[in-house]
Amino acid sequence: MQSHSAEAPPVIRLDGVGKTFRMPDGSAFEAVRAVSLDVARGDIVGLIGKSGAGKSTLLRLINLLERPDTGRVHVAGRELTRLSKRDLMGARQSIGMIFQQFNLLQNATVADNVAFPLRIHGRHRGAEIDARVRECLDVVGLADKASSYPAQLSGGQKQRVAIARALAPNPQVLLCDEPTSALDTETTRAVLATLADINRRFGVSIVIVTHELSVVQAICRRVAIVEDGRIAEEFEVREATGAERLTLLGRELDRLVRRKAREARIEAEEAAEEERRAAAASPVPAEAASSRPAVPNEIRHA
């Protein structure tokens, strides 16, 4: 995926990355095969594919939770694959990650969970950490839950705590691994709205792995279809111009985008028509009536 601007370098660049796992029987499984991918600053990119396609492994190569066997990884202007363990730990401060199962500390309060990435690096003082925690919880709408524990929260609230924790170090990138797959439809919409708001307000680039076309349609600007460890195709989600797609998922996504666009147009037309009818049926305001010029008696009784 190319940067939106030829002048601005991508915030994420994967250059021919590959990852192979050794199976218990000694065989090799190529999870990711020579993938190159650019993500522009401020973009929201979806990685979608069937189970086992390699999309989650590809995501974990971005912050080197899985180290690639081949290729190079650049994030925020640094080549992570060349860094020492110590330098990599510092570089990861610019990369937040959100997991499917939240990964919260069950014996810690919400505030302590959000503060965790700030405390482990020892770069911030207590007052700074407290202020940042309050700010992040306010962003995700959970300021009143600071003293609660994860067991006291709903699934959607837990995921929003995880988002606040990922946001705490002020990252340039958020990596999201199936963040809504354990949530119901209404909660999914709320979590996606939170992510979109963070992207809009802070310019954080987001890469989201999902198997749900509706998630891609709702939040992503670009999408990469992952098949058999490779990127089979990539395109702008809003395009949906009828161009022939290379994959079944690409064609299904196009149909969904076009259907949602039609539904939005119909809703807008119905709302406009309802407003016109309401305006036509409403009585003339008294002040408007009183402002009309008086009709002379001779004309009135003619």
Side-chain angles (χ1 to χ4, degrees):
M1 292 181 186
Q2 301 303 315
S3 170
H4 291 173
S5 168
E7 299 178 359
V11 69
I12 298 171
R13 169 161 285 169
L14 304 181
D15 184 11
V17 294
K19 182 66 180 178
T20 299
F21 294 101
R22 291 293 169 186
M23 300 292 100
D25 63 1
S27 62
F29 171 67
E30 289 186 88
V32 176
R33 305 169 186 241
V35 168
S36 294
L37 178 71
D38 283 3
V39 176
R41 290 184 183 275
D43 211 350
I44 305 179
V45 175
L47 300 178
I48 190 167
K50 297 179 180 178
S51 179
K55 55 190 185 297
S56 289
T57 301
L58 180 58
L59 186 80
R60 293 164 71 88
L61 293 180
I62 295 175
N63 60 0
L64 267 62
L65 284 184
E66 294 287 353
R67 182 170 285 273
D69 301 316
T70 59
R72 296 176 295 176
V73 176
H74 298 260
V75 177
R78 305 184 72 181
E79 186 181 340
L80 302 191
T81 37
R82 293 174 60 93
L83 298 180
S84 66
K85 288 184 178 180
R86 180 171 181 172
D87 289 341
L88 178 59
M89 183 178 295
R92 281 179 175 151
Q93 289 287 287
S94 66
I95 311 171
M97 188 154 188
I98 301 163
F99 301 89
Q100 177 180 349
Q101 296 299 332
F102 322 131
N103 284 20
L104 299 180
L105 303 172
Q106 296 302 309
N107 295 324
T109 64
V110 165
D112 286 337
N113 268 281
V114 176
F116 181 74
L118 301 176
R119 288 177 176 150
I120 61 174
H121 289 281
R123 298 178 181 176
H124 304 275
R125 297 178 180 178
E128 293 174 330
I129 292 175
D130 292 344
R132 182 59 179 165
V133 167
R134 287 194 297 270
E135 181 181 2
C136 292
L137 287 177
D138 186 59
V139 167
V140 301
L142 290 178
D144 60 333
K145 299 293 184 181
S147 299
S148 299
Y149 288 85
Q152 298 172 300
L153 305 178
S154 67
Q157 289 171 333
K158 290 176 183 176
Q159 194 58 287
R160 282 189 283 157
V161 173
I163 293 171
R165 178 184 59 192
L167 194 62
N170 202 23
Q172 297 185 47
V173 171
L174 280 181
L175 307 179
C176 309
D177 192 2
E178 299 274 10
T180 62
S181 62
L183 306 176
D184 59 47
T185 302
E186 183 177 349
T187 306
T188 291
R189 282 197 293 265
V191 168
L192 294 179
T194 298
L195 290 172
D197 182 58
I198 289 170
N199 170 261
R200 182 171 53 252
R201 291 170 61 181
F202 306 113
V204 177
S205 304
I206 297 175
V207 182
I208 182 168
V209 163
T210 182
H211 63 276
E212 300 172 273
L213 290 172
S214 58
V215 170
V216 175
Q217 182 275 327
I219 192 175
C220 297
R221 300 189 189 104
R222 293 189 64 81
V223 64
I225 312 293
V226 182
E227 291 184 352
D228 195 27
R230 299 183 176 91
I231 293 180
E233 68 173 327
E234 53 186 284
F235 53 88
E236 296 281 346
V237 174
R238 299 292 184 259
E239 280 179 356
T241 56
E244 185 176 355
R245 298 301 180 198
L246 303 177
T247 65
L248 176 61
L249 281 175
R251 292 190 289 273
E252 289 178 350
L253 179 58
D254 256 9
R255 285 194 291 270
L256 176 62
V257 170
R258 288 196 294 270
R259 178 168 62 82
K260 290 293 185 180
R262 285 195 302 270
E263 291 173 356
R265 285 196 299 271
I266 291 171
E267 288 179 4
E269 290 169 0
E270 290 176 347
E273 179 62 24
E274 189 173 334
E275 287 182 4
R276 285 194 293 270
R277 290 176 180 173
S282 63
V284 178
E287 58 270 20
S290 63
S291 66
R292 291 176 179 172
V295 179
N297 286 334
E298 60 270 22
I299 296 177
R300 187 182 306 151
H301 298 294

